Amino acid sequence: MKKYVSDLLVKSVEFLRADYFLMKLAAADGQPLPEMRPGQFVEVKVEQSGTTFLRRPISINYVDRTRGELWLLVHIVGDGTAALSKKQAGDTVNLMFPLGNGFSLDYAPGAKILLVGGGVGTAPLLYYGEQLRQKGCEPTFLLGGRSAKDLLQLEEFRKIGRTFVTTEDGSAGEKGFVTNHSILAQEHFDAIATCGPKPMMMAVARFAFSQDTPCEASLENLMACGIGACLCCVEKKSDGHNVCVCKEGPIFKTTELQWHN
């Protein structure tokens, strides 16, 4: 898939919480956005930050073809993402994209796919669910957070498929972790995809393995360059070999990863 380095136009910046914002971008020349697969990511050039020298990797949250928009859900964790949060409609942002591979889409119509996310790890699952729906599959979302305020974009998820939630404090949905949700005992799924904190993904992978269900995980290793040059994002596979998550991933079958064992 062809890669681009382009200035995109900021259409809006909406704060979903004090430390999370949704940035919607469009091609500055009004042309259609290039092809992008769910699970891929972008590397954003950060300006107006004296401490940020490398691009910042951000998952593709959604692609709205009708409006020609690329959505990025961003968690403010440092100077770089804080600088991005100050962008306004009409500004431009330089992106290198789309990078990495993507989630599997080669399922038969009617296949039931469970998408499990936690925290900002829910971001790539929105576009994935929409693409699965277009393929005739039945996406089901299982989203977790510490409390109700950690559950973002619920209305967007509900437009696409059934959406279940868990919170550690019981303030929304079922109390506990995603792997404790009753839906897992009530239904069988043809495949599972997950993104979020590593301990959560490992737990989801163990559950999938116990059910003999294929499972993919979107890893969130630090990806400074996005092209496999800096080796910041190396992950060890089950065969003992190291791979660059940004180039060989970020999507992996969980049985390929050493932490699965």
Side-chain angles (χ1 to χ4, degrees):
M1 185 179 292
K2 186 175 179 180
K3 313 300 180 188
Y4 299 83
V5 179
S6 303
D7 287 332
L8 296 190
L9 181 70
V10 177
K11 295 190 71 175
S12 65
V13 176
E14 176 188 357
F15 277 83
L16 306 185
R17 214 178 73 175
D19 55 344
Y20 281 90
F21 65 93
L22 179 65
M23 178 179 284
K24 296 182 180 180
L25 304 165
D29 58 5
Q31 295 297 310
L33 292 167
E35 179 186 357
M36 288 173 270
R37 288 176 54 88
Q40 290 186 303
F41 66 99
V42 306
E43 288 275 356
V44 184
K45 184 178 181 180
V46 180
E47 300 169 331
Q48 290 83 45
S49 173
T51 62
T52 307
F53 305 102
L54 299 174
R55 290 176 180 263
R56 289 293 179 263
I58 301 174
S59 297
I60 292 172
N61 176 225
Y62 190 71
V63 180
D64 187 331
R65 292 291 175 187
T66 302
R67 293 184 171 87
E69 294 176 349
L70 166 62
W71 296 9
L72 302 178
L73 178 62
V74 186
H75 186 196
I76 301 175
V77 294
D79 292 344
T81 46
L84 286 176
S85 74
K86 295 179 173 62
K87 290 286 186 178
Q88 298 179 357
D91 291 342
T92 58
V93 177
N94 186 267
L95 266 59
M96 181 167 60
F97 74 111
L99 302 173
N101 59 0
F103 287 111
S104 295
L105 287 168
D106 56 347
Y107 297 114
K112 296 177 63 176
I113 316 298
L114 180 65
L115 282 60
V116 186
V120 76
T122 61
L125 302 182
L126 184 65
Y127 185 38
Y128 187 29
E130 189 267 346
Q131 290 291 286
L132 286 171
R133 176 66 70 187
Q134 285 199 15
K135 295 284 186 179
C137 300
E138 298 179 18
T140 297
F141 301 103
L142 176 53
L143 312 175
R146 291 188 178 90
S147 68
K149 67 181 180 63
D150 297 311
L151 301 170
L152 306 175
Q153 297 184 294
L154 286 183
E155 290 307 311
E156 296 295 338
F157 283 106
R158 287 169 178 151
K159 292 175 184 177
I160 296 170
R162 294 184 303 158
T163 302
F164 301 91
V165 302
T166 67
T167 50
E168 294 177 31
D169 64 1
S171 56
E174 294 187 12
K175 185 175 182 178
F177 301 115
V178 287
T179 46
N180 305 133
H181 198 282
S182 58
I183 191 68
L184 299 181
Q186 295 169 358
E187 297 188 28
H188 171 76
F189 295 91
D190 298 303
I192 297 174
T194 184
C195 184
K198 191 171 183 178
M200 185 209 77
M201 292 195 293
M202 293 174 71
V204 172
R206 287 193 295 269
F207 169 79
F209 187 74
S210 73
Q211 302 297 305
D212 196 27
T213 302
C215 183
E216 291 183 325
S218 176
L219 303 194
E220 297 185 315
N221 299 33
L222 178 64
M223 294 180 282
C225 73
I227 56 173
C230 69
L231 305 182
C232 289
C233 63
V234 167
E235 183 77 21
K236 192 173 289 294
K237 297 184 72 175
S238 56
D239 61 7
H241 288 88
N242 291 324
V243 292
C244 288
V245 170
C246 69
K247 189 175 180 181
E248 305 298 328
I251 313 301
F252 293 92
K253 296 178 181 178
T254 54
T255 51
E256 296 178 341
L257 301 170
Q258 191 173 78
W259 53 256
H260 171 75
N261 299 321

